[in-house]
Every structure is written in structure tokens, then in C-alpha cells.
Amino acid sequence: MPTPSMEDYLERIYKLIDEKGYARVSDIAEGLEVHPSSVTKMIQKLDKDEYLIYEKYRGLVLTNKGKRVGKRLVDRHQLLEEFLELIGVDDSNIYTDVEGIEHHLSWDSITCIASLVEFFKRDESRLRELRELHQELLGES
């Protein structure tokens, strides 16, 4: 199982490859706001753990394991953003909040959140009730 730091790298690498077709050390460093030397060290660790194949000066390719984990991490991030938006968290807080909580939830919790999101999406009246309750509680503060 990857560490939270490894997860951040895998998520970023997966997104870059999905968007651009490749992931360069400089792009990863910029996206994660770390030094390129830190990226190189982590890439070597991810290579050792068989999440990707890295060849110095030639780039990297995600293995099937890396693709599977990367997709799962990207999906988790998107789900948590959707959930926070759905429950009324201010847009300016969503990204930071997701970054703060995504590594601290079990996959069981993620699955339950996915079910809750689906529950609200299936019936707009449920979502309206939630938003009305939220406004009511804000008014009482």
C-alpha cells in the first residue's frame, strides 16, 4: 500500500499522463510544489515498488498496478470534491479540504461517501432539503 506521499505522486503522474500523454519530472515538481530532486527520489521508489518503470533521461511509464492505483486516487479526489460541493462547502475551500482529508479516510468511508453522493443525486428533492436545512442552521448561528 502506498504512503500518502506516494499517493500524491501517483495521483499527479496519472493526471499528467491522462491530460498530456506523458509526465516529466519538472511537471510533477511544479504540480506538487516540490524540488525536482525530490521527484526523482520518489520516482525511483515508485519504480522499486513496481508502480512505474523509470529510465533515467528517458522518462517514466505507469505499470498496470500504477495505472490502477492512480485512477483510484484521482477518482477518490473527484468524489470528495463532489461530496463537499454537494453538502455546501464554499468552493474556495474545497480543494484544500480534499487535500487535507483524502489520505485520512479509509476506503470503507470513501465507499460510504460515494453511496451518499449517489443517494442525493438520484432525487433532487433530497438535495433541496439538505440545502434548506443547511441554510436554516446557518441562520440560527
Side-chain angles (χ1 to χ4, degrees):
M1 198 66 184
T3 65
S5 181
M6 291 168 81
E7 286 184 347
D8 286 338
Y9 279 84
L10 283 168
E11 182 180 349
R12 185 73 195 134
I13 292 166
Y14 183 88
K15 285 177 75 172
L16 282 167
I17 291 173
D18 189 48
E19 293 165 4
K20 298 170 76 171
Y22 59 91
R24 296 182 314 195
V25 168
S26 59
D27 295 329
I28 299 164
E30 182 182 320
L32 295 175
E33 300 178 351
V34 297
H35 291 291
S37 60
S38 299
V39 174
T40 301
K41 286 178 189 171
M42 181 58 80
I43 285 174
Q44 291 168 343
K45 186 181 290 189
L46 292 168
D47 181 37
K48 182 178 170 276
D49 291 348
E50 300 179 346
Y51 290 103
L52 55 82
I53 299 167
Y54 174 65
E55 292 183 32
K56 196 171 185 178
Y57 306 116
R58 296 185 59 90
L60 60 92
V61 177
L62 287 172
T63 62
N64 286 335
K65 175 182 175 181
K67 288 177 189 174
R68 187 179 67 251
V69 172
K71 179 173 180 2
R72 189 174 188 199
L73 296 170
V74 167
D75 290 347
R76 174 184 71 185
H77 190 101
Q78 290 171 339
L79 170 69
L80 291 172
E81 283 187 354
E82 183 178 9
F83 172 66
L84 293 180
E85 181 181 326
L86 186 105
I87 63 171
V89 173
D90 188 270
D91 287 345
S92 64
N93 295 325
I94 290 176
Y95 181 81
T96 304
D97 287 353
V98 169
E99 287 298 312
I101 65 174
E102 67 184 337
H103 301 296
H104 301 286
L105 294 173
S106 67
W107 286 103
D108 180 48
S109 294
I110 297 297
T111 301
C112 291
I113 289 170
S115 297
L116 185 61
V117 167
E118 185 61 28
F119 173 79
F120 282 110
K121 286 169 64 175
R122 285 188 181 185
D123 185 344
E124 285 292 317
S125 67
R126 296 172 184 157
L127 190 53
R128 276 193 305 278
E129 279 185 58
L130 175 66
R131 290 188 175 147
E132 287 169 7
L133 177 60
H134 181 72
Q135 288 303 313
E136 181 182 318
L137 292 174
L138 283 176
E140 292 180 4
S141 298

